[in-house]
Amino acid sequence: HRAFSVFILNDMNEIMLQQRAAHKYHSPLLWTNTCCSHQREGETNIQAGKRRLKEEMGFSSELKELFSFIYKAPFDNGLTEHEYDHVMIGYSNETPVINPDEVESWKWMSIEAVKLDIAKQPEQYTAWFKIIFDQFYHFLEANKI
């Protein structure tokens, strides 16, 4: 099914990561991209991304869709996610006001630091983020963003 993933970067080219809330039914306390979810009926990808960014992280940003792809990711609880994911980017230096129903914590990390940390501690990241980040990283490299 359709999904979207938002990456917010700051002026220092760091990604805002979120740690999923402890009570989430899958992937609790794992680190992931700034926000992600599913589009509602009649909602564009950009509208959905802006809505969810505000709901989860408490701020707004202009978003641009970079690319989309299909992935399949198993969860630790036996479920599998099979998504047609639209990856978006936005820019902000704001401090988020996180929604505790969705987010436990957040942090800024450089793109290279994320890449290295995923290689060193893959168990600390959501299954889908590891797939999406790899696509995101290669897109940035190829497009010199």
Side-chain angles (χ1 to χ4, degrees):
H1 54 276
R2 285 189 333 137
F4 63 87
S5 298
V6 174
F7 286 81
I8 296 296
L9 277 65
N10 65 14
D11 286 346
M12 295 175 15
N13 213 32
E14 296 170 317
I15 301 171
M16 180 183 287
L17 298 180
Q18 73 151 270
Q19 184 181 36
R20 289 172 56 83
H23 62 271
K24 299 294 264 183
Y25 74 95
H26 69 77
S27 311
L29 297 177
L30 296 184
W31 290 95
T32 196
N33 53 292
T34 313
C35 77
C36 54
S37 191
H38 304 281
Q39 299 85 337
R40 293 179 178 161
E41 190 174 330
E43 196 174 43
T44 68
N45 298 328
I46 298 293
Q47 289 169 336
K50 286 181 172 186
R51 171 185 52 81
R52 201 63 186 154
L53 183 61
K54 186 74 170 167
E55 290 171 357
E56 290 189 22
M57 304 304 282
F59 70 94
S60 300
S61 175
E62 290 302 312
L63 300 176
K64 175 185 174 188
E65 191 168 340
L66 298 179
F67 60 91
S68 56
F69 70 106
I70 296 172
Y71 75 90
K72 202 176 215 180
F75 293 146
D76 49 5
N77 66 359
L79 297 176
T80 299
E81 202 168 58
H82 191 189
E83 312 236 326
Y84 179 45
D85 193 40
H86 300 268
V87 178
M88 295 175 257
I89 193 169
Y91 298 90
S92 179
N93 293 303
E94 286 192 50
T95 299
V97 180
I98 58 174
N99 176 348
D101 291 335
E102 301 290 336
V103 181
E104 192 74 23
S105 188
W106 70 280
K107 63 184 173 182
W108 292 109
M109 279 183 80
S110 74
I111 293 168
E112 290 301 322
V114 172
K115 183 179 181 192
L116 292 171
D117 201 46
I118 287 173
K120 195 167 95 177
Q121 304 182 89
E123 72 284 353
Q124 296 294 312
Y125 294 89
T126 63
W128 67 88
F129 179 65
K130 289 180 276 193
I131 296 166
I132 294 164
F133 179 79
D134 187 58
Q135 296 277 334
F136 179 73
Y137 185 87
H138 292 301
F139 180 88
L140 294 181
E141 263 187 339
N143 293 282
K144 305 289 185 239
I145 294 177

